[in-house]
């Protein structure tokens, strides 16, 4: 068991902060450990969203999670954007910051989606160099999230877990392990998710994601529109046996349910972590 | 190996057209022709990607962008679909808007992740590329402007002023009241539309749909404030006097309330008010409306 959580505080289970839930959260102050916040939804904005975030971040731990850093792009890094993210993280007291291991923009054209990188050494060097700049500006730990991919552009030089491991080591950053993405990719591309988990440097895992996905044709799509699936919960249970509890975030972005329904998912994640710790304490105690 | 060339080719294949699904050899030949700077390995890697898998990303990109446009411009896009149907378009609404989104991206590439930039792109795209629709119903231009304005007000950075408390102002002497510094935040702009888009907005809120008939030309004066109660955009129908008074407040700069009162009273048609007291009372009623909608703010003393 790695059990370091990359040196980061273990916040337990939380949920993604979405505009549709602002009023409910402010009015009811639900019992939840923390919220993950997408800076792009707040930077440069005032009014209702900014006011709600001020109120919520005053009462709950909030952690920034970006969607447009485009860390794998070959366009020049948008340093001004990173500086704005740093200021945002300072304002909400985000203890760390994460974004996705992918590119979202290239040739200065925004694709507005998480496009997978080729698993090549050149891509490793490119990402690692950019992560070092980002980390220095942010002045807080930086985590990269493994993404889903529906196509593999290049796997001749290394596999996905090797690609992730090389980047984390050479950039010296942490991993936001999206457990659902591992399971989804394993089903879409036919690999063993447990073997994947055992290959990546678990001591660098500082946060996790769980989300629902859907079958479309012969593929599973990462829609974030459904509850976390039973087999994802199973894999999550196996992962936390290896990593110990972490800061685990349930994502739900489309066909958003009520806050209570979302909180049930977080309760499930917390219960599994508590049970695993309790079981391991009994075994070792 | 050249990562920039490879990522650029991926972008092109995702946004434009994937290579033909004619088998591996055909895909390789096509990719060679389209991307002469790629290495043999990169060509082989890209050719190995089944077109339908590349197509997943094409769909994610444009369906995602269409969803964002629907959120920003629900009424305008419904009007676009209705006008296209009147013009003989028979396809599903989702397909019509998907193609429109692709065309928007092709002619006005989205250069950052800002929703406001996407909204600006759509507005300029509509003016240039949806001329058949705006000619058929010129109100579409107003409706797009209306919804973009609402987005801008919703997201605008907070203005350094405080909401007007009418009860507090009522306690003041006339002299003190008229000396109060007030400003219109830069994001609040009085609008003179050629079509009554405010009535469309009201129908939408009541029925969740556009009116049965798109309204003919009919001047509509309005302004979108930000309600101090919930910080949401709040539209206010204006008469000519109110329009003149709010326009007299320079955007983002404090001026005394007397300037607005003068603009309000002087813009009234002759004989509107029996005397100065009645004119002043009418101004105070209008001021209360503007305060309620968050159109004007007081200076922070």
């Amino acid at each position: 068991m790695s059990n370091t959580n990359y040196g980061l505080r273990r916040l337990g289970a939380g949920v993604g902060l979405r505009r549709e839930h602002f009023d409910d959260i402010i009015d009811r102050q639900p019992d939840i450990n923390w919220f993950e916040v997408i800076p792009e939804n707040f930077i440069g904005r005032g009014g209702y969203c900014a006011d709600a975030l001020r109120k919520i971040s005053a009462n709950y731990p909030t952690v920034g999670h970006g969607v447009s850093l485009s860390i794998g792009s070959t366009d020049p890094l948008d340093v001004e954007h990173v500086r704005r993210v740093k200021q945002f993280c300072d304002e909400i007291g985000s203890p760390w910051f994460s974004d996705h291991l992918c590119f979202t923009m290239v040739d200065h054209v925004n694709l507005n989606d998480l496009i997978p990188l080729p698993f090549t050494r050149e891509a490793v060097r490119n990402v690692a160099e950019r992560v070092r700049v980002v980390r220095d500006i942010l002045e807080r730990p930086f985590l990269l999230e493994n993404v889903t991919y529906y196509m593999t552009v290049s796997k001749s030089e290394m596999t996905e877990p090797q690609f992730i491991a090389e980047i984390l080591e050479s950039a010296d950053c942490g991993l936001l392990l999206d457990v659902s993405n591992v399971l989804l990719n394993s089903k879409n591309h036919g690999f063993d998710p447990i073997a994947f988990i055992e290959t990546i440097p678990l001591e660098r895992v500082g946060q996790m994601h769980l989300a629902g996905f859907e079958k479309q044709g012969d593929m599973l799509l990462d829609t974030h529109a459904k509850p976390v699936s039973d087999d994802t919960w199973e894999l999550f249970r196996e992962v936390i046996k290896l990593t110990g509890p972490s800061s685990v975030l349930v994502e739900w972005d489309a066909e958003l349910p009520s806050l209570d329904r979302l909180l049930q998912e977080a309760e499930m994640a917390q219960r599994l972590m508590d049970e695993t710790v309790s079981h391991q304490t009994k075994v070792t105690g | 190996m050249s990562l920039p060339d490879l990522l650029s080719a991926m972008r092109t294949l995702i946004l434009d057209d994937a290579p033909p699904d004619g088998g591996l050899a055909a895909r390789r030949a096509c990719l060679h022709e389209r991307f002469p700077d790629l290495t043999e390995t990169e060509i082989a890697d890209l050719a190995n990607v089944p077109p339908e898998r590349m197509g997943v990303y094409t769909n994610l990109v444009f369906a995602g962008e269409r969803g964002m446009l629907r959120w920003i411009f629900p009424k305008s896009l419904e009007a676009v679909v209705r006008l296209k149907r009147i013009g003989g378009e028979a396809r599903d609404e989702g397909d019509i808007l998907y193609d429109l989104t692709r065309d928007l991206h092709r002619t006005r590439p989205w250069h950052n992740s800002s929703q406001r930039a996407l909204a600006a792109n759509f507005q300029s795209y509509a003016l240039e590329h949806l001329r058949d629709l705006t000619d058929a119903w010129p109100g579409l231009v107003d409706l797009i402007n209306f919804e973009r304005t609402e987005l801008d007000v919703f997201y605008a950075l907070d203005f350094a002023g405080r909401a007007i408390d009418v009860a507090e102002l009522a306690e003041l002497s006339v002299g003190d009241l008229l000396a109060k510094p007030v400003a219109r935040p830069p994001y609040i702009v009085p609008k003179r539309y050629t079509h009554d888009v405010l009535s469309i907005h009201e129908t939408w809120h009541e029925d969740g749909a556009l009116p049965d008939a798109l309204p003919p030309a009919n001047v509509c004066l309005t302004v979108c404030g930000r309600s101090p109660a919930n910080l949401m955009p709040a539209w206010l129908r204006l008469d000519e006097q109110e329009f003149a008074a709010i326009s007299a407040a320079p955007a983002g700069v404090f001026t005394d309330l007397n300037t607005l009162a003068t603009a309000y009273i002087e813009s009234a048609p002759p004989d509107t008010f029996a005397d100065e007291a009645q004119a002043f009372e009418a101004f105070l009623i209008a001021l209360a409306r503007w305060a309620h909608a968050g159109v004007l703010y007081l200076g922070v003393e």
Side-chain angles (χ1 to χ4, degrees):
Chain A
M1 183 157 152
S2 70
N3 214 358
T4 64
N5 205 50
Y6 195 50
L8 301 179
R9 189 177 153 205
R10 298 167 204 270
L11 297 175
V15 296
L17 184 62
R18 299 293 174 262
R19 183 190 303 139
E20 291 82 348
H21 294 149
F22 285 171
D23 292 345
D24 215 359
I25 294 166
I26 292 166
D27 291 346
R28 291 170 43 205
Q29 301 283 319
D31 182 19
I32 183 75
N33 296 314
W34 64 290
F35 289 102
E36 188 181 74
V37 185
I38 297 174
E40 287 84 348
N41 290 345
F42 297 93
I43 289 174
R45 296 176 182 181
Y48 172 71
C49 296
D51 183 64
L53 181 61
R54 274 192 295 273
K55 289 171 179 162
I56 293 167
S57 63
N59 289 315
Y60 296 92
T62 44
V63 179
H65 176 59
V67 294
S68 66
L69 196 52
S70 200
I71 198 74
S73 178
T74 49
D75 286 355
L77 182 68
D78 186 348
V79 171
E80 276 311 305
H81 172 70
V82 183
R83 289 197 179 114
R84 288 191 290 269
V85 168
K86 190 248 191 259
Q87 186 185 344
F88 174 83
C89 288
D90 288 347
E91 285 167 4
I92 66 165
S94 180
W96 65 85
F97 179 72
S98 60
D99 205 306
H100 302 83
L101 179 52
C102 67
F103 69 100
T104 56
M105 187 176 299
V106 74
D107 301 334
H108 303 282
V109 174
N110 179 27
L111 298 167
N112 198 41
D113 213 294
L114 311 175
I115 313 298
L117 290 163
F119 302 147
T120 64
R121 292 197 171 76
E122 189 182 8
V124 169
R125 282 194 298 275
N126 180 54
V127 172
E129 194 176 302
R130 292 160 72 94
V131 167
R132 284 191 284 269
V133 176
V134 169
R135 208 188 41 208
D136 287 350
I137 294 173
L138 291 176
E139 297 180 332
R140 54 182 34 85
F142 178 63
L143 313 181
L144 281 173
E145 177 182 356
N146 58 301
V147 298
T148 52
Y149 53 100
Y150 308 107
M151 60 180 181
T152 316
V153 171
S154 176
K155 56 184 176 184
S156 53
E157 292 184 33
M158 61 185 88
T159 63
E160 188 203 5
Q162 289 169 334
F163 180 67
I164 292 171
E166 285 211 17
I167 285 175
L168 299 182
E169 295 297 335
S170 53
D172 190 17
C173 69
L175 177 65
L176 192 171
L177 177 63
D178 191 315
V179 178
S180 303
N181 287 353
V182 173
L183 186 73
L184 184 148
N185 288 336
S186 76
K187 288 175 182 284
N188 282 343
H189 299 282
F191 63 77
D192 176 4
I194 298 293
F196 178 102
I197 296 293
E198 289 172 345
T199 311
I200 56 175
L202 291 177
E203 71 279 7
R204 287 189 178 271
V205 174
Q207 188 192 323
M208 294 184 204
H209 271 176
L210 297 165
F213 44 74
E214 288 175 271
K215 193 165 180 62
Q216 277 188 22
D218 64 343
M219 263 189 318
L220 293 174
L221 284 185
D222 186 27
T223 56
H224 293 194
K226 295 287 172 193
V228 176
S229 67
D230 289 345
D231 44 4
T232 304
W233 288 122
E234 278 306 307
L235 181 59
F236 174 60
R237 199 192 302 265
E238 294 305 311
V239 170
I240 55 179
K241 281 181 192 168
L242 298 169
T243 62
S246 184
S247 301
V248 178
L249 192 286
V250 178
E251 296 179 294
W252 202 322
D253 296 300
E255 296 169 39
L256 202 62
S258 69
L259 179 63
D260 285 337
R261 178 68 192 89
L262 184 56
L263 294 178
Q264 283 173 8
E265 296 283 291
E267 283 166 18
M268 176 71 168
Q270 189 64 54
R271 190 160 60 245
L272 288 179
M273 283 193 282
D274 293 344
E275 285 171 7
T276 304
V277 170
S278 168
H279 176 73
Q280 288 176 334
T281 306
K282 279 180 196 159
V283 170
T284 56
Chain B
M1 294 284 276
S2 168
L3 188 63
D5 290 337
L6 183 57
L7 299 193
S8 188
M10 289 170 69
R11 174 189 71 78
T12 305
L13 292 171
I14 289 168
L15 292 184
D16 298 344
D17 293 304
D21 188 13
L24 196 57
R27 287 208 294 273
R28 285 183 80 134
C30 176
L31 289 166
H32 257 302
E33 193 178 314
R34 293 183 68 182
F35 308 109
D37 293 336
L38 292 185
T39 65
E40 285 299 327
T41 310
E42 288 164 342
I43 292 286
D45 284 341
L46 277 179
N48 277 324
V49 176
E52 66 274 14
R53 291 292 178 118
M54 192 71 84
V56 170
Y57 286 97
T58 307
N59 191 52
L60 284 172
V61 168
F62 292 120
E65 200 168 316
R66 177 186 59 189
M68 210 173 283
L69 286 169
R70 271 181 168 147
W71 184 77
I72 300 169
F73 296 107
K75 299 179 266 290
S76 301
L77 293 187
E78 189 163 316
V80 163
V81 170
R82 186 181 292 186
L83 290 164
K84 281 189 177 274
R85 291 248 165 83
I86 291 169
E89 174 66 78
R91 287 179 305 153
D92 171 68
E93 183 215 19
D95 292 339
I96 294 171
L97 296 181
Y98 186 89
D99 282 356
L100 181 143
T101 307
R102 284 194 78 149
D103 198 43
L104 165 66
H105 209 117
R106 188 162 39 240
T107 55
R108 297 272 192 293
W110 192 9
H111 293 299
N112 59 45
S113 58
S114 155
Q115 279 185 358
R116 279 173 282 190
L118 179 67
N121 281 356
F122 177 70
Q123 187 176 26
S124 61
Y125 166 83
L127 289 173
E128 193 174 336
H129 295 274
L130 300 180
R131 293 288 287 275
D132 54 336
L133 306 185
T134 57
D135 285 350
W137 184 58
L140 181 60
V141 175
D142 285 347
L143 194 53
I144 290 170
N145 181 288
F146 182 94
E147 294 194 287
R148 188 178 162 206
T149 300
E150 195 168 67
L151 181 81
D152 286 343
V153 170
F154 181 61
Y155 282 147
L157 287 172
D158 298 331
F159 181 66
R162 68 183 176 94
I164 294 176
D165 180 344
V166 177
E168 179 191 314
L169 294 188
E171 301 290 316
L172 300 175
S173 68
V174 171
D176 286 347
L177 173 69
L178 292 177
K180 277 283 176 190
V182 293
R184 167 168 62 90
Y187 57 83
I188 289 181
V189 182
K191 300 280 183 179
R192 182 184 292 274
Y193 290 121
T194 61
H195 286 67
D196 190 354
V197 284
L198 194 52
S199 71
I200 295 176
H201 175 72
E202 288 158 358
T203 303
W204 183 273
H205 267 271
E206 282 170 22
D207 305 340
L210 296 178
D212 292 340
L214 295 171
N218 182 16
V219 170
C220 169
L221 304 182
T222 183
V223 68
C224 186
R226 185 190 270 170
S227 163
N230 60 14
L231 301 178
M232 300 299 275
W235 287 95
L236 202 57
R237 190 180 292 278
L238 305 175
D239 59 28
E240 286 285 358
Q241 288 171 257
E242 290 180 300
F243 188 85
I246 293 170
S247 301
V253 180
F254 285 94
T255 186
D256 59 50
L257 205 51
N258 187 48
T259 305
L260 273 69
T262 305
Y264 179 82
I265 294 167
E266 287 182 351
S267 66
D271 303 327
T272 301
F273 305 117
D275 53 31
E276 204 170 271
Q278 192 188 45
F280 188 64
E281 192 180 330
F283 171 70
L284 291 182
I285 291 169
L287 178 64
R289 265 165 47 82
W290 307 336
H292 185 69
V295 170
L296 294 178
Y297 284 76
L298 282 174
V300 180
E301 294 161 48

